[in-house]
Amino acid sequence: MTQLIRVEDLRVVAGDPGSEVEIVKGVSFALEKGEVLALIGESGSGKTTIALALLGYARRGCRLSGGVVQVGEHDMLALSEKELQGLRGNRVSYIAQSAAAAFNPAKKLLDQVVEGPLIHGLGTRAELEAKAIGLFRDLALPNPERIGRRYPHQVSGGQLQRVMAAMALISDPLLVVLDEPTTALDVTTQIDVLRAFKRVVRERGATAVYVSHDLAVVAQMADQIVVLNGGQILEQSATAPLLKAPAHDYTRSLLAAARPDTRIRPPCGIAEEGPLLTITGLTAGYGNKNLHGMPAIRVLEDIDLTVRRGQAIGVIGESGSGKSTLARVVAGLLTPALGGLTFDGQPLGGSLSERTPEQFRRIQMVFQNADTALNPMHSVATILSRPLKMYFGLKGAALQARIGELLDLVRLPRDMADRRPNELSGGQKQRVNLARALAAKPDLILCDEVTSALDTVVGAAILELLRDLRQQLGVSYLFISHDISTVRALCDDIVVMYSGHKVHAGRRESFAEAPYHPYTDLLIHSVPELRQGWLETCGATSGELPPIGERANLPELCTFLNRCPMRIDGLCNRTAPNRRTLDNGSEILCHRDAADLLVTQRGVTPTSFGAYA
């Protein structure tokens, strides 16, 4: 094989001249043609900074101060900006974490895919459009001949991520840099995208650098792994031996954090008391209402749910399942069309204006993205002081003392009170986000994907903090996530939602082994495992899933009908299922009984499959 990428003693500094700080400290590695190398580490480890250096690029406030970055015959650190522009999007391509932010919303997808190679003179428009359609097909995009005519907002997140991959690969680059390309995706979508990436990279013999904080994902993609911390390489090895016997303690900590079912100790010593929040027959959605008061787009249908005092309930499902809409209804940010809510035995109004100040205080929400939830112009002290002043009228020394107590609660140093959000790490910002909710002394906290944007180590620390705060304060959680392993590690009960319906609910213990609702089975087998080869076999228990169709949204049929590998023709496509209780106490919305589910989910095809008379 031929060495294609060579990085020697790479150094990057940040800050103003005279006060620069070295953030990448003498990093060296090499990559053969056709190999995939992973850069892995926590936020701030330097992995994205190193990946961008492969394009000869440094972010604002940073400078490539020394070393060698050789891509093919090109010394990226010795080239002028004009020469680098001729290589970027041509010989070196980049796939960003957020496809939604990378596309122009005013241009069609195909126009954006062929724009770069047209600028670089790599072919005629007709030739490049034909090549793009071929890539769409290779990347398993639906309707490859027509999807390019759509605008970015007209395709799903997973489809947009694959279109970005086509944009990166269309120039047949020497090197493709993939920067956390699946972090923001649902676990089921992530599998499709990873499979498409891996197949195309292998088939085309592309050389790639994959940036990630998730070792389980990296295990499916990389030939070798570079472990980074503090801008330095701590360990470098082929993938298999590193996963089996990591040499460095830090690598072992990453491996431990990647096993979510074991990284959090089960809650103990917490007595669940009477009902705190009760939801009955809830239907909600968006858009203009008809004469019967029903919204044009129904997102939630007939939801029943009870949260007891001191209890943590996890709500899981893919994007569009309705889980965040459920949180918005409980928070008073969306008025339900049907159904009722009761909080601590009293009616809970559908909007904030219908709630008492005390109800408003006792239900707080922690949002997914702390970057947008925290005012960048305010200090941490100012952010925390607002609820303390509003709810309790604190001021002066009492206010400052309580701010210090809140920082202690979320395990942040008290001197961080004077910092602004842009001076904090992602995990620190999420702790401030949580401290603001705790300032109100709530009884119920709505946690909406609070760890999904964090790396595995920081996310594990936030989950541990939530567990300890629950034990210390007796607070209840409605914990929303798309990752069943995260929910299973923290919560007592789990509710699985699909297309606005509650399809499975039960105690955490009942999710440890089959039987499950077919959709729950899909979610469980979509969480990457820490072993090579998992990606090629992970669909074995769920089967091939057809695309979601309009029929699945008809209320008189099963909501999961068109994606279910266990559907019974003649029954599932004619009659809506009733709720049934399994032997383990779980409740599912399915025509299948426990015996059928159990046999199928253990890998044996039952004789009852096929047409239903």
Side-chain angles (χ1 to χ4, degrees):
M1 300 180 73
T2 305
Q3 191 178 88
L4 184 71
I5 310 298
R6 182 172 61 92
V7 176
E8 288 186 5
D9 197 31
L10 174 65
R11 297 180 181 275
V12 182
V13 296
D16 298 323
S19 59
E20 292 178 327
V21 177
E22 196 169 56
I23 58 173
V24 174
K25 307 165 184 177
V27 166
S28 301
F29 58 84
L31 188 58
E32 302 288 339
K33 180 175 173 53
E35 281 190 323
V36 177
L37 177 140
L39 300 175
I40 191 162
E42 297 174 76
S43 298
S45 63
K47 55 187 185 295
T48 295
T49 301
I50 294 167
L52 291 173
L54 294 169
L55 284 77
Y57 179 80
R59 288 181 286 196
R60 180 175 295 182
C62 298
R63 181 171 61 86
L64 304 173
S65 61
V68 174
V69 176
Q70 193 83 23
V71 178
E73 69 275 19
H74 308 288
D75 183 352
M76 304 299 287
L77 303 191
L79 299 178
S80 66
E81 185 60 32
K82 184 176 181 179
E83 290 171 320
L84 288 171
Q85 288 175 2
L87 293 176
R88 294 172 187 153
N90 180 3
R91 308 309 291 143
V92 183
S93 292
Y94 182 76
I95 300 176
Q97 177 175 347
S98 175
F103 280 87
N104 186 331
K107 288 187 176 183
K108 293 180 180 179
L109 295 172
L110 186 59
D111 292 337
Q112 298 188 63
V113 171
V114 302
E115 182 179 19
L118 280 174
I119 290 172
H120 292 299
L122 300 181
T124 66
R125 185 175 187 90
E127 291 169 342
L128 293 170
E129 286 186 356
K131 189 173 184 179
I133 291 170
L135 278 166
F136 293 163
R137 188 176 294 108
D138 290 344
L139 289 162
L141 283 161
N143 301 316
E145 289 80 13
R146 296 192 297 276
I147 195 169
R149 302 174 194 168
R150 299 182 185 179
Y151 291 90
H153 70 277
Q154 294 176 314
V155 300
S156 70
Q159 290 169 353
L160 199 59
Q161 205 73 356
R162 281 178 275 177
V163 173
M164 184 186 285
M167 184 187 296
L169 293 166
I170 193 170
S171 63
D172 295 318
L174 292 171
L175 173 68
V176 180
V177 176
L178 302 96
D179 191 358
E180 300 270 17
T182 64
T183 297
L185 302 178
D186 295 322
V187 287
T188 50
T189 306
Q190 175 177 256
I191 288 177
D192 293 336
V193 173
L194 285 174
R195 281 176 172 160
F197 283 177
K198 187 169 185 176
R199 183 179 63 254
V200 172
V201 166
R202 298 299 189 205
E203 288 177 356
R204 293 174 177 264
T207 306
V209 170
Y210 196 105
V211 175
S212 180
H213 63 258
D214 192 336
L215 263 172
V217 169
V218 163
Q220 314 312 316
M221 300 293 294
D223 301 299
Q224 55 176 307
I225 298 175
V226 171
V227 181
L228 296 157
N229 190 28
Q232 300 179 83
I233 293 179
L234 299 186
E235 184 169 356
Q236 183 173 357
S237 169
T239 300
L242 184 138
L243 294 176
K244 185 177 181 180
H248 200 281
D249 288 342
Y250 178 72
T251 309
R252 286 191 281 273
S253 73
L254 291 180
L255 285 166
R259 296 183 173 96
D261 282 350
T262 59
R263 66 189 178 197
I264 306 297
R265 301 185 306 276
C268 57
I270 300 174
E272 296 176 17
E273 303 174 5
L276 178 64
L277 172 72
T278 303
I279 301 171
T280 308
L282 176 66
T283 295
Y286 302 94
N288 296 328
K289 295 182 178 179
N290 61 21
L291 294 176
H292 303 288
M294 289 292 105
I297 302 173
R298 295 192 197 182
V299 181
L300 297 173
E301 291 273 1
D302 195 25
I303 302 296
D304 293 335
L305 184 67
T306 298
V307 181
R308 306 179 74 83
R309 290 180 177 275
Q311 185 181 31
I313 289 187
V315 181
I316 65 166
E318 296 168 284
S319 296
S321 64
K323 56 190 188 298
S324 291
T325 299
L326 176 64
R328 288 175 60 83
V329 170
V330 176
L333 301 176
L334 178 66
T335 303
L338 287 176
L341 292 86
T342 302
F343 187 75
D344 200 13
Q346 300 297 316
L348 186 65
S351 65
L352 292 177
S353 62
E354 299 176 88
R355 299 185 179 184
T356 67
E358 190 68 357
Q359 288 176 332
F360 186 59
R361 176 190 67 80
R362 294 173 67 189
I363 301 175
Q364 295 293 313
M365 190 165 184
V366 180
F367 295 94
Q368 175 178 357
N369 191 341
D371 285 318
T372 56
L374 302 178
N375 191 324
M377 302 303 293
H378 289 171
S379 67
V380 170
T382 302
I383 290 168
L384 298 183
S385 68
R386 291 193 66 187
L388 295 174
K389 292 175 181 177
M390 182 170 71
Y391 294 125
F392 307 110
L394 295 183
K395 56 184 178 181
L399 176 65
Q400 297 306 312
R402 182 57 180 157
I403 290 172
E405 290 172 1
L406 288 170
L407 291 174
D408 291 343
L409 269 178
V410 297
R411 299 169 192 165
L412 286 175
R414 292 196 174 198
D415 59 12
M416 280 193 175
D418 296 325
R419 298 190 189 180
R420 287 185 169 83
N422 66 341
E423 300 176 83
L424 307 178
S425 70
Q428 289 169 340
K429 281 183 277 194
Q430 199 61 290
R431 288 172 188 265
V432 173
N433 206 8
L434 179 59
R436 180 173 58 183
L438 293 171
K441 295 185 177 180
D443 294 301
L444 175 64
I445 298 180
L446 312 172
C447 300
D448 190 4
E449 299 274 16
V450 295
T451 62
S452 65
L454 303 175
D455 62 57
T456 46
V457 173
V458 176
I462 294 295
L463 289 175
E464 186 76 26
L465 174 62
L466 287 169
R467 174 201 176 278
D468 292 347
L469 287 172
R470 178 186 165 206
Q471 195 156 14
Q472 181 179 350
L473 304 175
V475 67
S476 300
Y477 296 132
L478 193 64
F479 188 89
I480 291 165
S481 177
H482 64 260
D483 184 351
I484 195 167
S485 293
T486 297
V487 168
R488 200 160 46 183
L490 179 70
C491 300
D492 308 299
D493 285 35
I494 299 174
V495 172
V496 182
M497 294 188 64
Y498 182 79
S499 192
H501 292 72
K502 187 175 76 169
V503 298
H504 189 170
R507 299 292 293 179
R508 176 184 58 185
E509 295 80 9
S510 69
F511 285 77
E513 58 179 302
Y516 315 109
H517 186 279
Y519 180 57
T520 307
D521 187 55
L522 169 65
L523 292 177
I524 287 173
H525 289 96
S526 296
V527 178
E529 295 179 11
L530 264 172
R531 61 180 177 85
Q532 288 186 297
W534 170 85
L535 188 63
E536 287 70 28
T537 61
C538 62
T541 54
S542 296
E544 291 298 321
L545 296 176
I548 299 174
E550 292 182 3
R551 188 185 302 175
N553 295 320
L554 293 177
E556 64 269 20
L557 296 175
C558 173
T559 188
F560 192 52
L561 173 67
N562 279 12
R563 297 184 74 195
C564 184
M566 298 180 61
R567 57 184 286 174
I568 306 171
D569 290 330
L571 177 63
C572 296
N573 55 348
R574 292 182 182 176
T575 309
N578 294 318
R579 297 194 181 276
R580 63 169 73 223
T581 302
L582 304 178
D583 292 341
N584 60 17
S586 293
E587 180 186 77
I588 63 170
L589 188 64
C590 187
H591 284 295
R592 289 286 185 186
D593 60 25
D596 268 353
L597 292 171
L598 193 61
V599 170
T600 306
Q601 290 161 5
R602 285 181 175 173
V604 181
T605 303
T607 56
S608 59
F609 267 38
Y612 185 92

